[in-house]
Amino acid sequence: MIRVLIVEDQSIVRQGLKMILEQNEQFIVVGEAENGVEAIDYLENYLVDVVLMDIRMPKMNGIEAAHKIKERWPNVKILILTTFNDEEYALQALKVGVDGFLLKTSDGHKLISSIKSCLDGGMAIHEQVAAKVLPRLLEKPEIDSIDIHLTPRELVITKLVGRGKTNKEIAGELYLSIGTVKNHLTQILQKLGLRDRTQLAIFAIKHDLL
């Protein structure tokens, strides 16, 4: 069962999301919060697999909350949901390490598949957002050009991450276990001095590894 926390200041939106998720027997909405402060309070006491997070909320917005959550609970997946198709929000969200960014106009099937992709180690970015964000990331990369040699296997995995493949997809393509893929990713991030999968994907794109 996938445990979901919905963080959204509008009750009607929370109820709609809960209804969509709980139509699928794989999901259970274990909690609801109206802002980032309540979300962090909830995570201090209960286990959660995925946080669906709005951006504009009182007391603590979604970007600040996501940053604090990723610092304290790095294994919790965060999928940003917003009505605002603004690349600045998306850039800020990706820089703090969220696992996906969807517009609230996305349908239920897209929401479900995006959550599953995040849980499988992938990233879910709405097409309209990606079209604006990727050029900005390439114009102003956070990662400097560095000369560090990866093993052939690590190079292949880096390329696949850049292509948006999940850990499960990489494992299947390379005939590896998911655990082995995760271990390789840990080594790659350490070698390149990168923080997370998002930075690795940007690195792969910037250095023409695709």
Side-chain angles (χ1 to χ4, degrees):
M1 191 71 74
I2 299 169
R3 297 161 295 197
V4 181
L5 170 65
I6 299 174
V7 187
E8 160 67 54
D9 60 336
Q10 296 185 48
S11 175
I12 191 169
V13 177
R14 292 199 306 273
Q15 294 309 309
L17 291 170
K18 182 176 181 179
M19 185 180 301
I20 290 171
L21 291 174
E22 293 194 336
Q23 286 177 346
N24 187 309
E25 61 184 13
Q26 293 179 282
F27 292 86
I28 180 170
V29 176
V30 293
E32 299 177 27
E34 294 185 2
N35 55 65
V37 173
E38 291 183 5
I40 291 171
D41 287 344
Y42 187 91
L43 287 167
E44 287 178 341
N45 296 288
Y46 301 98
L47 292 174
V48 171
D49 299 306
V50 180
V51 177
L52 296 185
M53 182 90 73
D54 189 19
I55 288 183
R56 292 190 177 183
M57 298 180 293
K59 296 186 180 180
M60 182 185 294
N61 66 41
I63 304 297
E64 185 179 355
H67 180 59
K68 292 180 181 296
I69 290 170
K70 281 298 184 180
E71 283 187 331
R72 297 181 61 180
W73 301 281
N75 292 328
V76 172
K77 303 298 183 181
I78 301 176
L79 184 59
I80 294 289
L81 289 172
T82 182
T83 55
F84 303 97
N85 185 6
D86 188 322
E87 62 264 37
E88 289 300 330
Y89 284 128
L91 284 168
Q92 291 175 36
L94 292 172
K95 286 177 180 177
V96 302
V98 303
D99 304 280
F101 193 105
L102 289 182
L103 299 183
K104 289 179 180 175
T105 52
S106 302
D107 60 28
H109 294 295
K110 180 69 172 178
L111 175 61
I112 295 294
S113 65
S114 296
I115 293 174
K116 289 182 177 179
S117 177
C118 291
L119 287 168
D120 202 25
M123 289 193 66
I125 304 179
H126 194 283
E127 295 83 359
Q128 294 178 35
V129 178
K132 291 185 175 183
V133 170
L134 288 180
R136 291 283 303 277
L137 290 173
L138 295 177
E139 285 174 8
K140 299 180 179 179
E142 292 183 350
I143 305 162
D144 295 329
S145 178
I146 49 182
D147 182 21
I148 295 181
H149 297 290
L150 300 177
T151 67
R153 175 56 54 81
E154 290 170 345
L155 184 59
V156 170
I157 291 174
T158 299
K159 290 179 179 180
L160 294 174
V161 169
R163 294 172 188 167
K165 299 289 187 179
T166 66
N167 288 350
K168 183 177 180 180
E169 290 169 335
I170 294 172
E173 190 162 330
L174 300 181
Y175 303 101
L176 300 172
S177 70
I178 294 177
T180 298
V181 172
K182 290 179 178 179
N183 289 337
H184 278 301
L185 284 170
T186 299
Q187 292 297 318
I188 292 167
L189 292 174
Q190 289 177 350
K191 282 188 177 182
L192 298 178
L194 305 179
R195 183 185 65 233
D196 53 33
R197 193 185 193 93
T198 304
Q199 287 194 342
L200 182 58
I202 297 168
F203 177 89
I205 295 170
K206 176 174 171 53
H207 293 272
D208 296 322
L209 299 180
L210 306 187

